[in-house]
Amino acid sequence: MSKKNTSKSTPDDLGLIFLIGFMGCGKTTLGRKLASRLGYEFMDLDHILEAQEGMTIAEYFSKFGEAAFRKLESEVLKQTEYPKHAVISTGGGLPCFFDNMEWMNARGTTVYIQLSPKTLADRLENEKDKRPVLREHKGDDLVAFIDDKLAERDKFYTRAAIIADGSSLTAEKVEKLLNFKAIS
């Protein structure tokens, strides 16, 4: 567990930082780097869910279906004990179900990592084995599928406190956005 950064560059009241966005946008990779930079703990809700259930998300999804998965995902979000300061990577669909987005906004700062459907498709093309919902899509069809999903999810994602262009996003840039938000 990381200790809280005591440097003056980061306000003490950042608390919980929830990273949201479509699968493949970089929530986990960026989250680890941001947590390290801030001296915060990093938590990945997908990994917490998998450890709790003893199976991968793909296995849970296939065994119990989407409705059961979304309910469990929401329970994991709301029942996990968080340290005072943490960067939390969420599942791509988590903000779009129940009152999850409102819950996160009430308890921390949400950061939407926004990327184009084409960029997401390029990133996800080689990860289809880990992401069953994408298996049947490739090329332009994958881009169209992602575009449709983003259109459905946009009304949830854009409720984030911070919307960041993910195309050249770094932990340093997110820290600056968080600092600006904290003082404004």
Side-chain angles (χ1 to χ4, degrees):
M1 194 181 288
S2 302
K3 294 276 188 225
K4 170 77 177 77
N5 183 355
T6 56
S7 75
K8 297 198 187 248
S9 65
T10 305
D12 286 338
D13 60 356
L14 290 179
L16 301 178
I17 301 163
F18 294 93
L19 301 181
I20 67 166
F22 200 77
M23 66 178 99
C25 73
K27 298 179 296 282
T28 299
T29 302
L30 183 66
R32 280 191 171 103
K33 292 176 182 174
L34 180 62
S36 175
R37 183 172 179 83
L38 296 175
Y40 283 19
E41 186 171 340
F42 174 72
M43 302 174 78
D44 186 315
L45 290 181
D46 284 349
H47 294 158
I48 292 169
L49 187 150
E50 288 176 338
Q52 176 183 307
E53 295 304 309
M55 64 179 80
T56 67
I57 288 172
E59 290 166 341
Y60 190 94
F61 214 92
S62 126
K63 187 171 183 178
F64 299 106
E66 183 175 10
F69 171 74
R70 295 302 178 192
K71 183 175 184 288
L72 175 64
E73 185 180 45
S74 184
E75 290 169 2
V76 169
L77 168 70
K78 295 171 184 173
Q79 293 172 6
T80 296
E81 289 190 32
Y82 300 101
K84 185 176 179 184
H85 299 96
V87 176
I88 301 137
S89 171
T90 68
L94 181 127
C96 310
F97 293 88
F98 308 107
D99 64 342
N100 295 339
M101 194 65 201
E102 290 78 13
W103 191 93
M104 290 184 290
N105 276 330
R107 285 160 181 80
T109 302
T110 49
V111 179
Y112 169 30
I113 303 171
Q114 189 175 45
L115 284 172
S116 73
K118 174 73 172 113
T119 300
L120 288 165
D122 290 345
R123 288 182 175 194
L124 292 167
E125 187 64 45
N126 296 321
E127 290 193 23
K128 290 197 267 186
D129 288 342
K130 298 177 196 168
R131 304 174 191 271
V133 72
L134 300 177
R135 282 191 188 133
E136 62 194 55
H137 304 285
K138 63 170 129 180
D140 290 342
D141 181 52
L142 180 58
V143 175
F145 172 80
I146 292 169
D147 192 42
D148 289 346
K149 282 292 188 192
L150 285 173
E152 291 171 15
R153 294 176 175 187
D154 189 61
K155 66 185 172 198
F156 299 99
Y157 287 163
T158 56
R159 291 183 197 162
I162 296 170
I163 299 173
D165 176 0
S167 59
S168 63
L169 198 58
T170 64
E172 181 180 16
K173 287 179 183 178
V174 175
E175 181 183 18
K176 286 178 183 176
L177 291 169
L178 289 163
N179 285 333
F180 180 76
K181 167 102 176 69
I183 60 172
S184 60

